[in-house]
Each structure stands twice: as C-alpha cells, then as structure tokens.
Amino acid sequence: MILICGILTGCGAKNAAPSNVEAETAVQSSATDDAESTGYTLVPNIIDDNYRNYYEIFVASFYDSDGDGCGDLKGVEDKLDYITDLGCNGIWLMPVMSAPSYHKYDTDDYYLIDPSYGTNDDFKSLAGACHDKGVKLIIDMVINHSSSEHPWFKEACDYLRDLPEGTEPDSAKCPYVEYYHFSQEKINASYCEVPDSDWYYEAVFNYTQPDLNLDNPDVVKEMYNVADYWMDLGCDGFRMDAVMHFDETDSASNIDFLHDYYEHCKTKDPDVYMVSEVWASGKDITTYYKSLTPSFFNFDVADAEGKLIKAGRGKLSAEKFVRACAEYPESYGDSNPDYIDAPFITNHDMGRVANVVQSNLTDLKMTAGLLLSMNGSPFIYYGEEIGMKSKGKADENKRLHMNWSEKDTAGVCNDPAGADKDITQSLPAADEQMSDPDSLYSYYKEALAIRNAYPEIARGDIQIIEDLTTDNTAVITKTRNDSTIIIVYNTGDDPTAVDLSGINGVSPEDLKIAGELYAAETGAGLHNTELSVPGRSIIYLKQ
Ligand code: CA
C-alpha cells in the first residue's frame, strides 16, 4: 500500500508534512507555496512496509505528562506530533516493562508496564495513536536476563537455599531452577553467589541481571508468550537486546533462536519487525543475518569511530563512505536478501555525537545528512536532532532529559538519579530550533522529508559513479522499480563541480535538483549537465 500525504517544499522545513492520518488524500494544492524560493517540492511517498525512520526513546527522560518528574507513555503520546513532524514514522521504546532499575533492562514482570511509565492501557492507547498516524511502535525485548527481583529467580533461590546438602535440585518441585544457569561451582567470573547458599548463578552484565536459560523449552515458550502479549496490545515488533549473550559461546544457537523467535512472531503478525543488537564487527553481523531476521544495528557506521561521524567531520572520505554503503548489500544481503540495514549515529550506550564533534553545527549536520542518505531504516536517538550532549562514561549521562525548552518547563523530566547535573547544552532547546530554518532540527527535518519523498533512498540498488567519485566527492545512483535518484556528496570544505553527463540510464538534459542539504554554504546550481556543489553538502537529483 502506498500512502501519499501532504507536501513539503524544499529548502527550509517550515511547511510540515501532515501526518499519515491524512493518507491517500494527496494535497497537491499547496505545492507552490514556496515555489519561488526553492525550485523543487517534496511530496511524501510513504510505503507501508518495514522500512521506517525510527526514533529511539528513553521514556523516563522524554516527556512527563503528569508532572511527577518521570517521563511516561502518555508523554510519548503527547509528543507524537513532534516525532511525525520531524519525519519519523517508527518509534523504538527502550524497555517499558516493570523493573527495579532506572534503565529497566532488568524486568521483574514481563507482562506489566513499569508503574512509573503508566499502565498497560496507556501502552494500548499509545500503540493505537501511533497506528492512526502510520507510525510503527517497537519495544525493547530483554530476554537474555531478567531482574534478580523476578519471582522466578527469587523462588529458585529460596528453593536452592533450603535444599539439603548433597540433594540434587528437582525441577518438578521448583521449575525455576531450570530457568537460569545455577551451579555449585563458580564456573567463570560472570557467576555470582546465591546469597546464604553454596550455589552460584550466571549473570554476565550485573549480579542483579541473572541470565535466563534459553535452552529450556519452558523459558522459550514463556518468551513466545511475552511477544504474543505485547503484539496483542498493539506492538509492531521488537528490538532484541544483547543477542550475542544468549549463549556466550555458541553464535549458531543464538542465530537459530532468533530465527525461530521471528518465525513465531510472524505467525501472529506477518508484518512484524525485528531489529537486533549484535554489538560487533560487520563480519559478525553478516553471520547473524543468516537468522533471516530483518535487521541488525549497523555498528560499523556508529559511535565516535564509526563511518558516519568520521565522514561527517571530514576524517573519512566521501568515497570510502559510499564504498562502505555499497558493500553492505553484498555482505549482509548475501546472508539475507531481504535484510533491512539499521544504521545509526549513536544510541543510549554511547556518548552523543555532539560531544564527539564539540557541538560543531556543520559536523552535526553533515553526519545526519550521511545517515539519512543511507539504505535501510535509520535510527535517531531522541535529542540527537537538537544536538543534545552527554558526558563521561556513566550511562545516566547518555540518557538525560529531552531539552524541550529553556522557557517552558511543561513535560520536562528529571534526569536519572545517577547523572551529573552540570552538562550544559551548547545548542538551543527544541522549541527554539523548530522556528529556526538553519537549525540542526530543521536540517534533520529536511533530510527526512527528502527521504520520505523518494523511496529509493532507503530501498534502491546502489551504483557508484566511479568517474565522479574520488576523495571527498562521491556520486551514486539508487534505483528501485525503474526509478533512479542521484546523490552527490561533497564532504570537503571546498566547493566542487561534477559533470553528470554519461551516467548510465540517466538523461542529463532532464535532470532536476530534487533535494538539497547544506551543512555550511548553500547554493548548488545545475547548468546544463554540470552541478556546482558547495562544500559540506549533499544534493539529490531526479529526472
Ligand atoms: Ca510522569
């Protein structure tokens, strides 16, 4: 199904695309609002498949609907328009199930929304509101481990504590002794002591996060039930946490598990989406794509030393960047022809990009432009679009309150208790950036509007135009269903020019600029077949 909604004029994102709720009522009438200032228009062309622009949210820090200082699900619903106006049509909620920790990667009840976030009905309501706007809602699924406060674990520990010395545990009396990895030996450093007993349990991340035994069919069945439960409440898919740790030593069994889990979810919802965390090299990710599950986060392009930030700040050439982009369909696509790449700049486990580039607005824009030109489903970490900062290594500092406004405190959350209090934001708050056409927010919005207008950006077959690709200038085409878009990158500081005649399958006389992203100077120009390209810009062309 193709949903066409609203229209966005190029250059400056002041005309927001209406949300998908107005789907199928193409609004052509406003197409000329800004015609004299732009030369191109962007008509959203949203295809209702599993390619999305995702927005990752740490609920506690996003928007507080009831004034208790903690962000909540109603707050996310209150801010849905913000997310869709930006151009995102997918949301990943970090863990929302009941958990004792602030981060909630340790649930004590797989079937309950954490009370500080709201209720299960709030989740249903949010999912419904998302679907009304054509937004997919996925949640973190943390099944490598539970909380040590989970009743399964507590019951098992009580049972083992009371077990007479020399007696083998009997799973008929306490099935939960088989739900975790208990042992009377400290098998390795990740084994922790069951207090007041001579038993140990595996806990790779923290003693409060005992690893579940995913070889136990009863645990697997429970985890299938958990997926069913949340899909019944309206969840569209899952972000699978810590997949490499399911079995620390056997990636083949992890791949099998993922495959089976996805197949199970598909029996309930054929369109279910799954994106998994394998924090590893491209080679390992290629192997994991053999699970035939849709997506794995592309850690190759992420973080301070990843290709996006490096190319965005001029430390990796545009040529090398596009060669990497063209390589993923070969490597990942070889394992799973239906793969959907999941690139991102940083996430909740990494220092924010604004820290890496010292809030340099040009570098921030260039990095975002590169991300949003990539194939697949890009993931934007909340606050990245306004250049929010983090600090140091403490995870709490990477998950600070969304900086909605300097003047209006409505909805602004308290920071996690362990966060430093002196992190100053060097870019303006969201409200100020939203009214500034030159802000980072407006750049993201324009890049997403271009992406939403041309489905081939996310889905097209990539061809590098070798004659025009060298050092900081790169030209590629992306083709899908006989529709081709040309993307011209200049990641260097100096202007350049490229002659676009001679590209296979493209009639140069029909070419038009279809999108412009300027991280510094503006003013690309197309003269006959020659395109002048300012430094630090990405230009899209169509015929
Ligand atoms: Ca609240």
Side-chain angles (χ1 to χ4, degrees):
M1 180 172 57
I2 294 182
L3 308 176
I4 299 175
C5 57
I7 205 147
L8 188 70
T9 51
C11 268
K14 54 192 170 192
N15 292 343
S19 63
N20 291 355
V21 74
E22 286 103 20
E24 293 160 29
T25 54
V27 186
Q28 297 291 342
S29 58
S30 61
T32 55
D33 282 359
D34 259 5
E36 71 282 3
S37 67
T38 68
Y40 67 89
T41 55
L42 297 172
V43 182
N45 181 6
I46 309 295
I47 298 173
D48 191 17
D49 58 11
N50 268 329
Y51 285 84
R52 297 275 150 166
N53 306 316
Y54 272 97
Y55 193 78
E56 179 195 352
I57 296 177
F58 179 51
V59 175
S61 287
F62 192 58
Y63 194 83
D64 173 21
S65 73
D66 57 8
D68 68 355
C70 182
D72 42 55
L73 295 180
K74 278 203 171 86
V76 176
E77 190 171 338
D78 287 347
K79 283 294 172 182
L80 259 190
D81 284 347
Y82 172 85
I83 295 163
T84 56
D85 285 351
L86 181 63
C88 289
N89 51 13
I91 293 174
W92 157 25
L93 299 179
M94 286 166 62
V96 291
M97 299 168 199
S98 172
S101 69
Y102 88 91
H103 55 70
K104 310 211 181 299
Y105 279 98
D106 54 345
T107 188
D108 56 18
D109 187 340
Y110 280 98
Y111 299 95
L112 185 69
I113 288 291
D114 191 88
S116 65
Y117 286 4
T119 65
N120 289 26
D121 280 343
D122 291 344
F123 184 85
K124 260 168 99 169
S125 169
L126 172 61
C130 284
H131 298 159
D132 286 347
K133 288 177 169 290
V135 173
K136 290 215 182 212
L137 180 66
I138 68 170
I139 61 172
D140 236 298
M141 183 64 86
V142 187
I143 62 179
N144 176 68
H145 49 264
S146 72
S147 167
S148 54
E149 295 297 308
H150 197 291
W152 299 335
F153 186 74
K154 284 166 61 170
E155 206 170 300
C157 289
D158 287 345
Y159 173 80
L160 291 174
R161 218 175 268 125
D162 293 341
L163 200 63
E165 207 176 320
T167 313
E168 285 298 308
D170 181 354
S171 62
K173 290 188 174 142
C174 178
Y176 305 121
V177 291
E178 301 290 335
Y179 273 42
Y180 299 88
H181 295 121
F182 289 105
S183 168
Q184 283 193 291
E185 284 168 53
K186 188 174 168 68
I187 292 176
N188 58 44
S190 69
Y191 274 71
C192 304
E193 211 176 304
V194 175
D196 305 320
S197 81
D198 51 3
W199 287 86
Y200 297 87
Y201 62 96
E202 188 191 27
V204 167
F205 287 91
N206 191 290
Y207 74 95
T208 58
Q209 296 167 293
D211 280 51
L212 284 158
N213 175 12
L214 296 174
D215 289 328
N216 179 345
D218 292 338
V219 176
V220 174
K221 186 163 180 294
E222 189 77 53
M223 291 308 160
Y224 285 5
N225 291 343
V226 172
D228 290 350
Y229 180 80
W230 291 99
M231 285 193 284
D232 280 339
L233 290 189
C235 184
D236 297 301
F238 304 104
R239 178 267 185 188
M240 305 299 290
D241 181 59
V243 163
M244 291 178 86
H245 300 283
F246 288 179
D247 186 318
E248 293 294 333
T249 57
D250 186 0
S251 59
S253 86
N254 299 340
I255 288 166
D256 286 346
F257 183 96
L258 274 187
H259 171 84
D260 294 348
Y261 203 75
Y262 178 57
E263 289 300 314
H264 169 80
C265 292
K266 275 204 298 187
T267 62
K268 192 158 190 74
D269 175 4
D271 299 323
V272 68
Y273 181 60
M274 183 182 284
V275 54
S276 301
E277 180 199 31
V278 171
W279 195 334
S281 69
K283 194 163 161 278
D284 289 327
I285 291 171
T286 298
T287 304
Y288 268 88
Y289 267 119
K290 290 178 181 161
S291 64
L292 302 181
T293 60
S295 293
F296 291 83
F297 288 112
N298 188 335
F299 281 88
D300 190 39
V301 298
D303 212 352
E305 292 303 315
K307 291 186 171 64
L308 282 167
I309 291 179
K310 279 176 86 171
R313 63 198 302 215
K315 294 183 183 298
L316 177 82
S317 69
E319 177 184 358
K320 285 189 173 148
F321 175 74
V322 299
R323 289 201 191 288
C325 291
E327 210 279 319
Y328 300 129
E330 304 289 327
S331 50
Y332 301 164
D334 190 50
S335 293
N336 178 6
D338 297 323
Y339 90 106
I340 298 173
D341 198 5
F344 66 107
I345 300 171
T346 71
N347 67 15
H348 60 279
D349 286 324
M350 301 167 176
R352 284 184 177 272
V353 54
N355 275 46
V356 182
V357 303
Q358 284 102 42
S359 299
N360 180 302
L361 186 58
T362 297
D363 290 350
L364 286 170
K365 287 179 174 176
M366 198 72 227
T367 304
L370 293 168
L371 168 72
L372 298 173
S373 77
M374 285 184 71
N375 282 51
S377 292
F379 281 72
I380 297 167
Y381 184 42
Y382 81 97
E384 184 181 283
E385 75 279 16
I386 55 169
M388 271 173 54
K389 293 179 77 178
S390 58
K391 183 183 177 187
K393 290 197 185 303
D395 281 343
E396 289 90 333
N397 289 337
K398 302 161 186 165
R399 304 165 190 180
L400 300 177
H401 73 272
M402 177 72 179
N403 189 17
W404 292 109
S405 174
E406 297 296 341
K407 304 177 279 281
D408 181 359
T409 57
V412 174
C413 305
N414 296 336
D415 285 327
D420 294 340
K421 300 295 181 194
D422 59 347
I423 298 173
T424 49
Q425 302 299 332
S426 50
L427 294 187
D431 57 351
E432 206 175 312
Q433 290 201 39
M434 288 169 77
S435 56
D436 174 4
D438 296 323
S439 68
L440 181 62
Y441 167 90
S442 294
Y443 184 97
Y444 265 88
K445 184 165 172 164
E446 182 73 4
L448 284 161
I450 294 168
R451 192 174 179 87
N452 286 335
Y454 305 110
E456 53 270 53
I457 297 172
R459 301 165 184 81
D461 294 327
I462 302 170
Q463 187 78 45
I464 297 173
I465 309 304
E466 292 291 347
D467 292 349
L468 303 178
T469 297
T470 176
D471 199 21
N472 284 327
T473 306
V475 181
I476 64 171
T477 59
K478 292 194 189 186
T479 302
R480 172 182 176 269
N481 296 347
D482 296 327
S483 179
T484 295
I485 195 159
I486 300 172
I487 311 177
V488 180
Y489 298 90
N490 179 6
T491 55
D493 289 326
D494 299 326
T496 188
V498 290
D499 185 346
L500 298 170
S501 59
I503 298 179
N504 264 347
V506 172
S507 311
E509 61 275 9
D510 296 333
L511 278 181
K512 289 189 285 292
I513 289 176
E516 300 158 273
L517 292 172
Y518 300 114
E521 299 299 314
T522 61
L526 186 61
H527 311 286
N528 298 317
T529 60
E530 187 171 282
L531 179 75
S532 58
V533 193
R536 314 300 292 277
S537 62
I538 302 173
I539 309 300
Y540 292 84
L541 300 104
K542 289 281 291 181
Q543 53 184 345

